[in-house]
């Protein structure tokens, strides 16, 4: 289980968190002890980023409560919460999961934020570089994350860069980010009485896309799971996946029964296409199947057997 | 200030609420004492309806907190929360208000629910008549709410019905609702071993639109205010406005500073059209203005002077 | 292929449609001949309902065009539109499908409208019974759709009602709808000079839920497919499924390549849970599997083998 | 009226547009001649950006048509379309405006795209720098748009920079963008057989925020007006406002009656707060009003008299 670590925060924020954590109040609302333990605390991500849960509404029981209103007397017979939650997840009854809500404070590179913001069913307040000056912090990949372009996949990563090329790339990334930030600060002229200073809303255009930004991000549990199913997936870009993985871990603390059902019915498992299902049916019946007569493209055929954990019958010999 | 009253609830729900109110836990989340006081308790609406707050996230401070992230160092000078909230409301900076959330349990007639559901930016779990049998409860207006059709407004109400006509209308509403419900129950055949019983998803079609339904409704503060600005308005239908008015009262307990700003900048005040603004400018400059040279339609002209609380200059004679 | 039929429309609407169909203009926009053929024409549904396409934006090419902007140079190698559309569908790249839009005019019973409106990501203008008087039209099921409540499924239908019970149910549905409508008209007092007439916004509450309403409904192709995947599914209530089936047929005329991919990757096929996938893997490897050691509930186990079209191994012995 | 100009496009896109404009088809859909004239053609914005309308659905009549379904018989008396549209705009009946839709192809700097994307109620397909290589094009302000930070407004612009400072700023912006792009291309190593080449999804982080991106953006007329009311406003940042102004001009060609009503009731005019309205009422009644007894802050007081086009009574002395 991952652990919070506040050492990377600036002292102002550290003090603010300590003050917040020192205050408790009595409430009649649904409360989750495992969330209270980590509330406000930062979980480090990448080189300067973090995820903090700053508020939550509801628990596993909130999902059950909403479902029981929907299904009314009809749910009296399902007298076990876990069974009901698993039933809802299996049959994609999504609205009860919208009844729990969570709010994070997140620090992340701008190019990650640009991908993230495409999830429109959430609330966001981002640090505004029209109003304020961004911090001097950039994402620089660690050497083992410095991947080459994949040669067989337009969107993927290949092997890790090595030797002189890797060293040069790190130098360029670091150097350009530093120079651009330096000139951003110079153009702002905040500490220079001899300069008028360029408007902040203009100066920001000189920053590189690995500059860190931050935001409050609030989302309901259903839309959070949709986000996680895409971004904690192995096809997601590494730099956003590491955020999603931490949020998945935090979700397990918040709503453990929903989390288990989510793993069993959404993250685990696979979707069979119409033709893929026909192949599986024939294979289970003992028929010989070949790609040529499967209705699947060669690529779908390969992916099917890989997902099924079985050798490709065509390759078998 | 309105008061909760549980006497109209069925005993099962009364007991459930008492149990919920008996449980408290310590939390590090923002907590509002005035909300804790009324959490879970029902506020009566119409003849059988109610509104209960069952959960909330955030307080006035949550709006400030989100705004300060957005505007960063830029807000250091605004060192007073009330001033910042009023600034946000005045300039329609809406995203910080999305950072607080509230969840209600509401009982309401179906024809009101049909109007309400048009607000799409909320989460809903409604009691399902596919799964369960609806309660035998209908909305019947009180005599003073039995309004005639307005003669000058296609959507409005006129004078209150009187005498024999009023009495007959009440009889018809009550009689039809009872008969339809009786036949609904008969068709379901739940207690009748001699009948197969019509599917619930079909039998429900025999109910009248004043039958009560219920739902959980969850919304963020920004979208709540949008709902209230339309539904607590004097043009809203009485039967939905009474719900909105209670929710407005509850909002004052939850986020008093936001509520005050909402009254000052959204609910109070008025919008001047381009031509209306020109009329006001000319009138303030001491010019004589007439409808004929105002660019306003006769109706807009009348409405303008009414809103300004001044006699119609054309009528002044 | 289903055919339009205007005979059930009132003459005013018939004339309006004929006038609309008589007008053509030249356009540089993407145009689909098969849609032009049926534009504006009503397709009958249930006893008084219909679906009409009144406008559309884009075609299969609009999806491709948007995807090629997203993937830029990266898609030059995928030089076949059908392949690209199938790739997008398979990998749930949903945004290009949002770039096509369709608008319908639909007449439907109120209890169906209540289910339909839960799909929030669409635009709706419904006939308002605050402003206007509803038509005297109700949905009455045909005898073969008069299903009993399912005994093993809280939400489903069982066998068809028969004999005296069926006859009585039809009588009750027809009688109550007629009486309620008659009293609605009487309370409105539109043709009765001796009555003030109850406000329309109140009188409507006396109508039964099988009364027909109508609306314009506009949705993008992605959200349409989401709607169809739920409502054209065999678990959907018959009275909404018949609408979805016609819309699916119309979709095949509009965007035939997207429709084919939708059938292959979404409507056909199945989702395997984590435990279900493990069972399939073991079965394909020749292992004996039993429900007891599968991690599946008895119900999931039964449903799995049914979906796979294979006999239940536990039952085989 | 602004004019299209294709000279800045790359030849491939120019040829594509010419081909598209050469094709016409007959349609029964609502068609707007003024839109057909400019369909597909680029309108230049900033130094390398553009806006092109690539599709549209509906016209002024589509708004009327939807409203007449909503208000049914109730609208028969309003027999003039313009009057109905103005009524809808004045009373904020927004759903009929959702029934028209427009789709643009837009090229814009990344920092503008980041602001734009906050409008969530639209559909977007952006050029993906995970899949493809971005063009070597950056936004560099013209000298007259090189504004200093406002001294009295955290978010605004002050005077134009002059002399050596202006020249240096332009040099820095140009130099940093060029260097970062050059190193981006070098890290990609696309034409260099001796390099593995950094993954595109990583290399993009080295680009500056003034690099141009492009997207398809599709939105309904109601949400378009919301966007324009914020972004064509004088408080919006210049670099997004120039896009909004062109879109406003294009809207006038598309839906001229809606555009006129939008100008009269939304863009023109002003909102009076509760206290502001009280001041206007008293002033119209001939009372002397001072800021001190107005309930307005000094800033609100100043802004009120400015908006009313009258001298500040306190300053009149």
């Amino acid at each position: 289980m991952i652990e919070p670590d506040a050492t990377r925060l600036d002292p102002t924020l550290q003090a603010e968190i300590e003050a917040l954590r020192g205050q408790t109040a009595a409430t009649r609302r649904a409360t989750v002890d495992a969330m209270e333990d980590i509330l406000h605390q930062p979980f480090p991500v990448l080189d300067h980023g973090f995820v903090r849960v700053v508020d939550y509404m509801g628990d596993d029981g909130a999902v059950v409560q909403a479902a029981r209103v929907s299904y009314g007397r009809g749910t009296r017979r399902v007298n076990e919460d876990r069974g009901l939650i698993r039933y809802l997840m299996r049959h994609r009854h999504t609205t009860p999961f919208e009844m729990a809500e969570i709010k994070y404070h997140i620090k992340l590179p701008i190019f990650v934020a640009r991908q993230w913001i495409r999830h429109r069913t959430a609330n966001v307040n981002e640090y505004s570089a029209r109003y304020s000056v961004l911090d001097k912090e950039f994402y620089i990949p660690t050497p083992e994350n410095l991947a080459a372009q994949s040669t067989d996949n337009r969107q993927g990563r290949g092997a890790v860069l090595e030797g002189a090329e890797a060293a040069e790339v790190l130098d360029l990334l670091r150097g350009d980010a530093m120079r651009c930030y330096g000139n951003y600060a110079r153009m702002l002229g905040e500490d220079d009485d001899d300069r008028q200073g360029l408007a902040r809303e203009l100066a920001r255009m000189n920053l590189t896309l690995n500059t860190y930004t931050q935001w409050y991000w609030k989302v309901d549990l259903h839309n959070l799971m949709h986000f996680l199913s895409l971004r904690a997936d192995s096809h997601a870009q590494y730099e956003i996946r590491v955020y999603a993985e931490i949020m998945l871990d935090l979700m397990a603390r918040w709503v453990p029964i929903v989390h288990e059902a989510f793993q069993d019915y959404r993250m685990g498992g696979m979707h069979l296409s119409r033709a893929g299902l026909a192949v599986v049916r024939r294979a289970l019946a003992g028929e010989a199947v070949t790609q040529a007569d499967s209705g699947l493209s060669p690529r779908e055929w390969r992916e099917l057997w890989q997902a099924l954990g079985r050798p490709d019958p065509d390759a078998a010999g």
Side-chain angles (χ1 to χ4, degrees), chain A:
Chain A
M1 190 175 272
I2 54 168
E3 291 301 328
D5 172 8
T7 51
R8 69 168 49 178
L9 299 184
D10 72 75
T12 315
L13 186 50
Q14 277 193 42
E16 205 183 290
I17 288 173
E18 254 175 74
L20 282 167
R21 287 186 54 82
Q23 294 164 1
T24 60
T27 187
R28 290 188 161 109
R29 293 172 291 168
T31 302
V32 179
D33 288 345
M35 290 302 270
E36 297 292 334
D37 286 348
I38 54 88
L39 206 69
H40 303 303
Q41 293 197 290
F43 290 81
V45 197
L46 299 178
D47 48 358
H48 298 285
F50 59 74
V51 171
R52 297 167 57 213
V53 178
V54 294
D55 210 343
Y56 67 93
M57 172 196 265
D59 57 5
D60 280 324
V63 177
V64 170
Q65 181 189 47
R68 289 198 196 278
V69 162
S70 277
Y71 309 133
R73 298 180 195 171
T75 55
R76 286 199 186 147
R77 292 184 195 167
V78 183
N79 47 29
E80 198 229 323
D81 288 359
R82 184 169 169 273
L84 179 54
I85 285 175
R86 294 175 72 79
Y87 172 88
L88 297 171
M89 188 73 76
R90 201 160 73 243
H91 291 87
R92 302 225 165 207
H93 290 229
T94 57
T95 54
F97 298 105
E98 295 177 15
M99 287 289 153
E101 189 96 9
I102 192 164
K103 183 160 60 174
Y104 307 92
H105 179 197
I106 296 166
K107 187 160 192 173
L108 72 178
I110 290 175
F111 72 96
V112 174
R114 297 230 308 135
Q115 207 169 67
W116 195 308
I117 200 79
R118 297 304 321 280
H119 295 266
R120 288 160 291 183
T121 45
N123 310 114
V124 190
N125 275 278
E126 185 175 354
Y127 189 89
S128 169
R130 285 187 81 189
Y131 289 80
S132 303
V133 179
L134 283 170
D135 291 333
K136 190 178 181 173
E137 288 176 333
F138 332 103
Y139 168 60
I140 306 293
T142 55
E144 67 272 22
N145 288 308
L146 214 61
Q149 178 65 30
S150 166
T151 49
D152 64 345
N153 181 336
R154 301 294 306 176
Q155 111 179 67
R157 294 186 180 187
V160 170
L161 292 192
E162 293 186 351
E165 186 176 351
E168 190 201 3
V169 162
L170 290 177
D171 276 357
L172 292 175
L173 290 173
R174 216 176 275 120
D176 283 350
M178 292 291 281
R179 185 183 308 102
C180 286
Y181 190 93
N183 288 333
Y184 163 71
R186 176 165 176 78
M187 290 187 285
L188 289 174
E190 298 237 315
D191 305 318
D192 184 346
D193 291 346
D194 292 342
R195 299 179 73 95
Q196 291 182 264
L198 184 63
R200 281 187 284 270
E201 68 180 26
L202 285 171
R204 60 172 164 171
M205 80 173 77
N206 203 58
L207 295 168
T208 48
L209 282 159
N210 55 351
T211 308
Y212 274 88
T213 182
Q214 50 181 295
W215 60 32
Y216 273 57
W217 195 69
K218 173 170 151 287
V219 70
D220 67 58
L221 179 54
H222 165 63
N223 282 293
L224 174 64
M225 289 191 290
H226 183 69
F227 174 84
L228 295 178
S229 72
L230 292 172
R231 302 307 180 181
D233 183 89
S234 63
H235 294 89
Q237 179 165 354
Y238 169 79
E239 281 77 17
I240 196 168
R241 199 171 67 233
V242 286
Y243 286 88
E245 283 167 354
I246 283 174
M247 292 159 81
L248 193 56
D249 184 289
L250 293 169
M251 180 188 155
R253 304 181 198 216
W254 178 30
V255 282
I257 302 175
V258 175
H259 178 265
E260 181 200 31
F262 177 59
Q263 294 286 4
D264 286 348
Y265 296 111
R266 298 282 297 276
M267 293 296 281
M270 70 176 291
H271 188 79
L272 284 173
S273 68
R274 179 202 293 257
L277 174 57
V279 166
V280 170
R281 284 176 169 191
R282 289 168 61 197
L284 285 170
E287 270 186 63
V289 208
T290 64
Q291 185 267 322
D293 72 358
S294 71
L296 297 171
S297 71
R299 182 169 178 169
E300 288 176 82
W301 174 262
R302 275 197 313 276
E303 288 175 358
L304 174 66
W305 291 105
Q306 206 163 18
L308 291 171
R310 303 293 308 154
D312 175 346
D314 281 1

